[in-house]
Amino acid sequence: MPIDATQPYDPANIFAKILRGEVPCDKVHDDALALAFRDINPQAPTHILVIPKGDYVSWDDFSARASDAEIAGFIRAVGEVARAAGLAEPGYRLLANVGAHGHQEVPHLHVHIFGGRPLGPMLEPDR
Ligand code: 5GP
């Protein structure tokens, strides 16, 4: 079920549990500001999630409240993870779902990194 991205941060969400080490993950990157791990239900040969360590519900929340250092560290981590996964060439896709229309399901900001095959057009066309 998509979330309401304006809700307060819920420390019981699954990515908060992963950050606290209460739930395991297939970790690919860990630094002071960001954690990256493989998606449990991959939609491409490479499907990695990058999350900030701070308590942010969504891209909307993060871009409004995070410090410049948190934002810079997170963005750098996304690029580093993609490079380390060998995706810089031939390319990859980033996706951050936000709120109900974005079909965000986990209420802790995450950027999806998809790669490993040509990914096709950006969105399903309007019907
Ligand atoms: P959203 O729709 O919120 O952008 O994407 C949530 C993503 O989190 C989905 O791709 C889903 O497969 C992934 N996911 C949900 N629960 C877990 C989990 O416990 N571990 C991992 N590694 N990924 C998860």
Side-chain angles (χ1 to χ4, degrees):
M1 274 294 287
I3 65 148
D4 169 3
T6 62
Q7 70 189 37
Y9 186 79
D10 173 8
N13 80 76
I14 187 72
F15 292 170
K17 291 179 181 172
I18 287 175
L19 276 172
R20 291 194 297 267
E22 295 164 11
V23 168
C25 70
D26 185 356
K27 190 187 294 188
V28 299
H29 177 98
D30 192 357
D31 67 35
L33 296 171
L35 178 73
F37 50 90
R38 294 191 189 279
D39 197 289
I40 205 167
N41 183 25
Q43 306 294 311
T46 300
H47 184 177
I48 296 170
L49 302 171
V50 190
I51 68 175
K53 291 222 167 152
D55 292 352
Y56 298 103
V57 174
S58 67
W59 187 274
D60 181 62
D61 186 25
F62 186 68
S63 60
R65 289 198 303 113
S67 69
D68 290 356
E70 286 176 300
I71 291 171
F74 181 67
I75 299 286
R76 285 203 189 278
V78 172
E80 250 178 62
V81 168
R83 275 192 299 279
L87 299 178
E89 184 59 45
Y92 57 95
R93 178 169 295 157
L94 301 179
L95 177 71
N97 294 320
V98 182
H101 278 197
H103 211 279
Q104 180 180 0
E105 293 195 336
V106 177
H108 182 112
L109 169 62
H110 47 285
V111 167
H112 297 256
I113 300 175
F114 299 104
R117 66 168 166 80
L119 293 163
M122 192 163 63
L123 288 174
E124 293 280 314
D126 280 341
R127 281 176 237 277

